[in-house]
Amino acid sequence: MTAPADAAGTVFVIDDDASVRRALERKLRTAGFRVETFESAQDYVARAPQAEIACILTDVRMPGMSGLDLQDSLAQAGRALPMVFITGHGDIPTTVRAMKGGAVDFLPKPSSEREILAAVAEALQRSAAIERERRELGSLRARYEALTAREREVLALVVAGLLNKVIADRLGIHETTIKVHRGRVMEKMGAASLADLVRMSERLGLAPDADPARR
Amino acid sequence: MTSRLPSTTIDPARAVPAPDSPSIGELLAFERLLAELSAGFVNLSATSVDDAITDALRRIVGLLDVDRANLIGFAPRTGESYLTHSWTVDGFASAAPRSVSGDFPWAMQRLQAGHPIVFSRLDELPAEAAADEATWRRVGVKANLTVPMTVGGRIEGAIALASFRRERHWPGELVSRLRILAEVFGNALAYKRARESLDSAMKFEQLVSEMLAALLTTDRAEDRDRVIEAGLRDMALFLGAERATLWERIGSSPEFRKTQRWLAAGVPVPPDQAGGVAVPWISAQIVAGSVVRFASSADLPPEAAADLPALRELGVRSLVIVPLTVSGAVVRALSFATVHEERDWPEALLPRIALLGKVLASVLARDEAHRRGEEARAQAAHATRVGAMGAFAASLAHELTQPLAASLANAETGVRLLAAPEPDLDELRATLADIVADERRAGDLVQKLRRFLRRGDVERGELDLREVLEDVLQFVGREAEARGVRLRLEIAEALPKVVGDRVQLQQVVLNLLSNAIDAVAAGDRTAREVAVLAGRCGDGVSVEVRDSGAGMDGETLARIFQAFFTTKPKGMGLGLSISRTIVEAHGGTLSAHSAPGEGSTFRIELPLRPPRHTA
């Protein structure tokens, strides 16, 4: 079955219909997922559940806040999770909006178990990937924070593709010192190559600054 | 010895016995009797005519010194002779009314031919009167004088005088006086017959008007059938028919089928003639608007030969059948028949049967028109019901999808649970229980919808208003939510049940709710609420549907209940008009209150039971 040990995450099920909620809860629980249920989008927002790896399985059309409203609201609050939508009457604009908002899947109601479990598993995998990413970024940021101001200057110029000589000239220090800084940066950041360092700086969101001296 | 004056009527002092010619006193007494008979019958009712005749016979017995006087009548067609009235002196058994054709074949034949029967001794009778003689001998008659009686120019009976105690001579004078007496009797009988026919005409008209009154105050189809059958029975009994049938023409074909029938006790049920009775000639006459009547199928013209087998099969001996017309077209027929004997249907009966036919035809036509009107109304109501439901199709589909989706999810989970090496039976049990509950929920909704959308007759029953209202709210709840309209239901405690048609009342509420949702959905988001309030109201209940919409101006308000008036781009304008018709059919009222900017309130007031004879 799809019950994946590595996808051991939590599924937040939101549906206003008690029967459907119960059935989905049972299905996912017996398939090996952790499940929490919510009777409305407002309920979810109010309880603000926490889990490292999680996804949301929600009905689109519900009284009060709809599934799509919830998607928007979570995105704005920076609390986005992979979402799987279920709907009894999906129309194209709704589907497009949900998918643009990052929906993992858009399932008709009723859907087969295979489809539901596959979609949830994919959503959790995506959540796990995001989590992994988040952690990596965190450690990268920590490493970056550990650099001295001078090293950060050097890093910026190195990833901008400037030669040591040019950098030395820019910063008004000796080329040998630049080499030392550069080695330190590579080491502290754990970068294996210049290309690696460039990728890291991109992930950190450091705009390549080709001409920092002009500040 | 001829006659002796009875002391009771004639002064004995003046009575002079005379063998061959009557005495003056005898003559005077006789003249007085004649005068009294003539005058006496005039102001009598039909029943007291019988008494008067018997009394006259008593006086004749006394006056003419005989032992018995009989009045005999001849049946018009068959010639059967009946003893109708009789008076016998004390000491001899009296004679009961009966048929006497068999007892006196020779005498009755002679009398009907206009000849008197006179004999002073039994041995005066000719040889051919052997059967008659035997009867007289058995009864103890020694002498007899019988003269034919003419009524309205036809020989219709006879007056007979008999002597038991002795043989006696009948002087010519006595014979001629008896003839005069017979004439007076004849007139009296003619008068009696006229009286009877007048009485029966009045009785008939009374029957017809009673039937008409019953039909006019009867609205339910089964009651109407009962009234018609009772009417057929009364008419048949009145007319002396053994079978009365109301026929309906099959479309515009010349064939008829039975709709109502009455059979006299002991009359066999005729074989069922599905699809009409094969009597082409009679049918053609009826379709052409003519009356058909025959006392015997032998009276039918040769062209009617094809009708005979069917008549035989139905056991019809005599028949009268009249066409019933509505707006000039023959749509039905009314027939009376005998099955045990042949019977004449006098022309005089025809106007009455025709009158009955007219009454039936007009009532049935009114009924038909009423039924068509009802059908049209029901169709319009159904169409608007389906239309109203169409507006909620999406939300109903969702409402149905939920339990079905839950069931499917549970069923698949169950399959997976079973596949485990050690299935979790508790979980499985709970899963199956949920499936059952969800399927039931879906089934309930489908049933409610089907009931709501079916095209059916009005069905009155005791209704729980809460149930009625909750069902409708279930139909529209989703749609209201989707359009951001909050529905609020407030029902007073211990609301009594009302008698009414569930579907019709739900249609009214659905229609009002649908209008209310439309009204508020267009308005300000913060004030989007529709409230349904049910409570007691006098002896009945009330249901209000209040919206917080834009409201209506007086001009719109004045027209909303008119058919085909609508403010909606896609509306038919029938909803409120049909709603009001439905509520009024339940004996209630539907009113509206509204002002621009203040929303609208529609109020239904219903009695606990609708009055009879509505809807």
Side-chain angles (χ1 to χ4, degrees):
Chain A
M1 203 69 268
T2 343
D6 65 324
T10 304
V11 184
F12 300 126
V13 172
I14 310 172
D15 199 307
D16 61 309
D17 190 278
S19 296
V20 173
R21 219 158 50 227
R22 253 168 87 83
L24 289 175
E25 188 274 335
R26 174 183 290 124
K27 174 178 300 303
L28 296 168
R29 177 168 49 75
T30 56
F33 297 96
R34 265 196 308 278
V35 186
E36 273 185 61
T37 60
F38 304 86
E39 60 178 47
S40 68
Q42 292 97 312
D43 186 24
Y44 178 89
V45 172
R47 278 160 59 188
Q50 300 293 324
E52 285 201 339
I53 298 174
C55 71
I56 294 172
L57 177 64
T58 182
D59 197 353
V60 174
R61 203 164 150 171
M62 290 180 291
M65 190 186 261
S66 77
L68 295 174
D69 293 343
L70 178 67
Q71 189 183 30
D72 291 349
S73 151
L74 290 178
Q76 274 168 23
R79 293 172 48 203
L81 280 180
M83 290 178 84
V84 176
F85 290 93
I86 303 184
T87 181
H89 31 77
D91 54 290
I92 292 171
T94 311
T95 317
V96 167
R97 189 181 148 195
M99 296 314 273
K100 272 190 174 167
V104 174
D105 213 338
F106 204 93
L107 302 175
K109 183 184 257 183
S111 280
S112 73
E113 172 160 295
R114 199 177 40 76
E115 291 171 307
I116 294 171
L117 293 183
V120 166
E122 193 197 327
L124 286 176
Q125 273 163 16
R126 199 179 285 186
S127 170
I130 291 167
E131 180 59 20
R132 210 161 43 238
E133 183 95 340
R134 195 183 61 78
R135 284 184 190 189
E136 276 174 21
L137 192 62
S139 107
L140 196 59
R141 193 160 281 136
R143 278 177 273 159
Y144 181 73
E145 298 295 326
L147 299 182
T148 64
R150 177 60 84 187
E151 284 164 354
R152 287 184 205 165
E153 277 180 323
V154 172
L155 170 70
L157 296 169
V158 167
V159 299
L162 301 186
L163 297 173
N164 287 350
K165 203 173 138 211
V166 180
I167 297 171
D169 192 37
R170 281 268 177 97
L171 298 178
I173 50 177
H174 202 274
E175 194 185 335
T176 322
T177 315
I178 295 300
K179 277 185 180 167
V180 173
H181 282 309
R182 186 168 175 159
R184 276 268 177 78
V185 168
M186 296 289 281
E187 186 192 341
K188 278 184 167 175
M189 292 300 286
S193 63
L194 176 58
D196 210 9
L197 197 62
V198 170
R199 215 162 26 243
M200 286 177 181
S201 95
E202 274 171 3
R203 282 184 67 184
L204 283 167
L206 306 173
D209 188 354
D211 198 7
R214 271 180 234 153
R215 280 180 286 201
Chain B
M1 181 71 197
T2 50
S3 61
R4 178 164 65 74
L5 291 172
S7 59
T8 48
T9 48
I10 305 294
D11 183 0
R14 302 178 59 191
V16 180
D20 273 354
S21 57
S23 69
I24 297 296
E26 219 177 43
L27 277 174
L28 283 176
F30 192 79
E31 292 305 323
R32 197 185 305 152
L33 174 64
L34 289 180
E36 283 178 16
L37 282 180
S38 306
F41 285 160
V42 172
N43 291 316
L44 296 174
S45 74
T47 43
S48 45
V49 167
D50 284 334
D51 293 340
I53 289 173
T54 308
D55 188 58
L57 292 175
R58 178 184 64 78
R59 291 175 64 183
I60 290 166
V61 165
L63 185 65
L64 301 182
D65 190 25
V66 291
D67 299 322
R68 171 179 287 171
N70 286 337
L71 185 65
I72 292 161
F74 302 138
R77 257 193 72 79
T78 57
E80 183 102 6
S81 308
Y82 295 93
L83 174 64
T84 59
H85 302 76
S86 178
W87 176 261
T88 309
V89 294
D90 290 344
F92 294 91
S94 54
R98 65 182 199 280
S99 169
V100 289
S101 298
D103 289 341
F104 304 102
W106 169 81
M108 294 306 149
Q109 201 182 1
R110 279 191 62 82
L111 287 166
Q112 287 182 21
H115 305 293
I117 308 290
V118 190
F119 61 88
S120 301
R121 297 187 310 278
L122 283 171
D123 56 18
E124 288 174 12
L125 287 166
E128 57 265 38
D132 306 58
E133 188 188 333
T135 308
W136 273 311
R137 199 177 294 283
R138 176 164 53 77
V139 176
V141 169
K142 296 196 169 69
N144 179 289
L145 167 63
T146 307
V147 295
M149 178 175 69
T150 306
V151 180
R154 278 175 57 192
I155 297 172
E156 292 205 357
I159 292 183
L161 305 178
S163 175
F164 296 139
R165 285 173 288 193
R166 55 193 163 88
E167 293 171 344
R168 63 168 288 176
H169 175 63
W170 306 101
E173 179 65 25
L174 186 60
V175 174
S176 57
R177 273 195 283 163
L178 192 60
R179 279 184 179 277
I180 297 170
L181 195 62
E183 199 174 310
V184 171
F185 261 102
N187 289 340
L189 286 178
Y191 171 75
K192 174 175 187 271
R193 196 170 295 160
R195 275 309 285 249
E196 275 177 354
S197 111
L198 183 65
D199 285 357
S200 81
M202 286 169 70
K203 186 174 170 227
F204 189 91
E205 255 125 65
Q206 196 184 338
L207 281 177
V208 171
S209 60
E210 276 168 9
M211 185 169 165
L212 179 62
L215 283 172
L216 286 177
T217 53
T218 306
D219 275 345
R220 302 192 333 160
E222 56 268 43
D223 290 348
R224 186 203 56 205
D225 283 354
R226 213 169 29 71
V227 170
I228 290 177
E229 270 157 33
L232 290 178
R233 178 200 60 210
D234 291 347
M235 297 303 161
L237 288 174
F238 176 82
L239 296 170
E242 294 170 302
R243 202 189 268 166
T245 313
L246 188 61
W247 305 90
E248 179 184 51
R249 188 168 174 185
I250 302 174
S252 55
S253 78
E255 299 211 329
F256 290 80
R257 68 175 152 239
K258 174 203 88 177
T259 56
Q260 272 99 5
R261 176 171 61 203
W262 175 84
L263 299 173
V267 172
V269 176
D272 210 19
Q273 311 263 340
V277 179
V279 282
W281 182 79
I282 293 176
S283 297
Q285 301 296 305
I286 295 299
V287 168
S290 310
V291 172
V292 174
R293 67 189 160 114
F294 56 86
S296 152
S297 54
D299 296 351
L300 284 170
E303 309 92 87
D307 296 23
L308 296 179
L311 290 173
R312 254 198 304 280
E313 196 187 346
L314 289 168
V316 172
R317 300 285 290 275
S318 76
L319 177 77
V320 57
I321 179 165
V322 296
L324 312 192
T325 54
V326 171
S327 320
V330 175
V331 288
R332 288 170 197 274
L334 175 64
S335 71
F336 295 94
T338 57
V339 297
H340 285 121
E341 56 181 16
E342 296 181 346
R343 192 221 132 129
D344 197 26
W345 301 96
E347 184 131 23
L349 284 180
L350 294 184
R352 296 184 190 170
I353 297 175
L355 172 66
L356 175 62
K358 277 205 182 84
V359 167
L360 282 177
S362 63
V363 168
L364 291 171
R366 181 196 69 124
D367 229 67
E368 188 89 340
H370 181 72
R371 196 173 52 72
R372 289 214 183 114
E374 284 286 299
E375 265 172 19
R377 258 195 297 285
Q379 262 174 21
H382 181 251
T384 51
R385 206 152 67 226
V386 171
M389 241 9 194
F392 298 102
S395 75
L396 285 167
H398 183 99
E399 209 51 22
L400 260 184
T401 307
Q402 302 286 33
L404 293 179
S407 280
L408 177 64
N410 276 318
E412 285 185 322
T413 303
V415 170
R416 180 161 41 77
L417 289 172
L418 267 176
E422 280 178 36
D424 180 345
L425 291 181
D426 286 342
E427 189 72 58
L428 261 173
R429 215 166 280 132
T431 307
L432 291 175
D434 279 0
I435 292 176
V436 170
D438 284 328
E439 289 302 319
R440 195 161 284 155
R441 177 178 146 203
D444 280 354
L445 181 62
V446 169
Q447 208 173 340
K448 276 178 200 163
L449 276 177
R450 188 173 288 155
R451 187 162 60 184
F452 187 77
L453 290 178
R454 71 159 205 257
R455 185 192 301 269
D457 292 336
V458 176
E459 263 176 39
R460 290 263 164 91
E462 278 212 334
L463 300 176
D464 180 349
L465 216 50
R466 175 180 294 276
E467 240 177 68
V468 169
L469 296 176
E470 280 176 352
D471 282 0
V472 179
L473 258 70
Q474 189 186 3
F475 294 158
V476 306
R478 276 270 158 187
E479 180 70 18
E481 277 163 6
R483 294 170 70 180
V485 177
R486 206 165 83 82
L487 294 183
R488 187 159 59 88
L489 178 61
E490 274 179 35
I491 301 178
E493 288 297 312
L495 212 52
K497 293 198 168 186
V498 296
V499 172
D501 181 275
R502 170 189 299 273
V503 170
Q504 286 193 337
L505 291 179
Q506 283 182 341
Q507 175 168 8
V508 173
V509 177
L510 175 77
N511 184 37
L512 297 181
L513 265 177
S514 167
N515 286 348
I517 291 170
D518 284 349
V520 294
D524 180 1
R525 188 159 185 128
T526 54
R528 286 187 175 183
E529 187 186 84
V530 172
V532 180
L533 313 166
R536 290 222 60 153
C537 150
D539 290 338
V541 292
S542 68
V543 177
E544 280 191 5
V545 177
R546 284 188 201 160
D547 69 61
S548 55
M552 290 175 278
D553 57 29
E555 199 182 322
T556 309
L557 194 58
R559 297 186 59 196
I560 48 168
F561 288 108
Q562 292 172 9
F564 304 112
F565 175 78
T566 182
T567 58
K568 301 181 188 179
K570 284 186 195 163
M572 277 221 295
L574 282 176
L576 283 175
S577 131
I578 286 173
S579 295
R580 180 171 261 184
T581 310
I582 290 173
V583 173
E584 285 173 356
H586 281 77
T589 56
L590 172 60
S591 55
H593 307 275
S594 184
E598 289 178 18
S600 305
T601 297
F602 285 82
R603 182 178 170 86
I604 304 165
E605 289 185 14
L606 287 176
L608 296 188
R609 352 196 110 249
R612 286 201 64 210
H613 299 312
T614 49

